[in-house]
């Protein structure tokens, strides 16, 4: 784990929490939270991603941080469940504050898990219709890459695909070839 700013914070003045509206929901950010520098571009990306997630899907968000991607999908796609997996325990507080502000019509089973997604990755992937991976700067651990390829290959073998579907180049989706 890298520590950039230290691990203690002191509130001096102003609002205790920093809030932004991204992906259709209000997001809380603590001083220790990683935030997107270009929120307009991130919001645009989230809204495009939302179009590819089926209504009522079961979603797992790996390297979730405070759960911005997963929670925006819970809201916009009325997901059956959203599991956010994050190794940084400091992110949980922002996640919980964001969940408190979700609209009352969000009925997803939403959970946040303090865990390393690369350790026993199969346990996080099972039962999910959609896997969101927002990797850390160091990149993905080989164990997770192997499992994503394995699951993707199994899914390609077991699902019937329409003949005339054009493959789109979407950088946020990993496909096994």
């Amino acid at each position: 784990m890298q520590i950039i700013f230290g691990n203690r914070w002191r509130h001096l003045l102003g609002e205790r929490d920093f809030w932004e509206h991204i992906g259709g929901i209000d997001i809380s950010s603590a001083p220790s939270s990683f935030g997107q520098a270009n929120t307009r571009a991130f919001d645009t990306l989230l809204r495009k991603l939302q179009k590819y997630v089926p209504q009522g899907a079961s979603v797992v968000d790996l390297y979730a941080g405070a759960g911005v991607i997963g929670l925006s999908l819970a809201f916009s796609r009325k997901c059956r469940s959203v599991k956010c997996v994050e190794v940084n325990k400091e992110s949980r507080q922002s996640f919980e504050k964001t969940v408190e502000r979700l609209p009352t019509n969000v009925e997803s089973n939403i959970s946040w898990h303090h865990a390393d997604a690369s350790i026993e990755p199969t346990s996080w992937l099972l039962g999910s219709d959609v896997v969101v991976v927002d990797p850390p700067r160091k990149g993905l651990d080989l164990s997770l890459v192997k499992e994503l390829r394995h699951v993707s290959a199994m899914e390609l073998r077991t699902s019937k695909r329409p003949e005339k579907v054009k493959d789109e180049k979407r950088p946020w989706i990993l496909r096994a070839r």
Side-chain angles (χ1 to χ4, degrees):
M1 175 181 279
Q2 296 179 12
I3 297 177
I4 299 172
F5 298 112
N7 57 6
R8 292 186 306 174
W9 307 98
R10 185 172 53 162
H11 178 247
L12 296 176
L13 61 112
E15 298 289 326
R16 277 206 168 272
D17 301 313
F18 179 72
W19 291 90
E20 293 181 278
H21 191 78
I22 302 173
I25 60 173
D26 291 332
I27 303 296
S28 170
S29 296
S32 60
S33 296
F34 171 80
Q36 297 293 330
N38 188 337
T39 55
R40 282 182 46 196
F42 184 55
D43 185 66
T44 299
L45 174 68
L46 286 177
R47 293 186 189 276
K48 285 184 180 182
L49 176 62
Q50 291 167 354
K51 294 176 186 177
Y52 291 99
V53 174
Q55 290 278 341
S58 178
V59 175
V60 62
D61 184 359
L62 304 177
Y63 304 98
V68 176
I69 298 173
L71 294 174
S72 76
L73 293 173
F75 165 70
S76 64
R77 306 309 294 168
K78 312 242 182 289
C79 295
R80 182 173 61 255
S81 68
V82 173
K83 288 188 285 192
C84 295
V85 182
E86 173 57 42
V87 72
N88 179 3
K89 65 182 177 184
E90 301 296 323
S91 298
R92 184 179 200 124
Q93 184 179 8
S94 293
F95 171 85
E96 290 173 349
K97 288 179 180 182
T98 299
V99 168
E100 287 174 11
R101 279 210 191 174
L102 286 175
T104 55
N105 66 340
V106 175
E107 297 177 2
S108 303
N109 180 11
I110 298 171
S111 58
W112 189 92
H113 305 269
H114 177 231
D116 184 339
S118 68
I119 298 173
E120 298 182 24
T122 307
S123 64
W124 300 115
L125 303 177
L126 288 177
S128 298
D129 303 314
V130 175
V131 178
V132 175
V133 182
D134 186 7
R137 283 180 172 47
K138 70 174 184 162
L140 295 179
D141 287 297
L142 191 55
S143 62
L144 181 57
V145 173
K146 285 180 180 179
E147 191 57 30
L148 288 170
R149 285 183 177 151
H150 175 73
V151 169
S152 183
M154 281 179 31
E155 198 257 2
L156 287 174
R157 276 182 271 165
T158 60
S159 67
K160 292 183 179 178
R161 192 171 178 194
E163 295 296 320
K164 296 182 180 181
V165 172
K166 179 184 172 190
D167 275 343
E168 294 184 39
K169 294 186 181 188
R170 291 174 265 161
W172 57 84
I173 296 178
L174 175 69
R175 291 192 179 135
R177 297 264 181 216

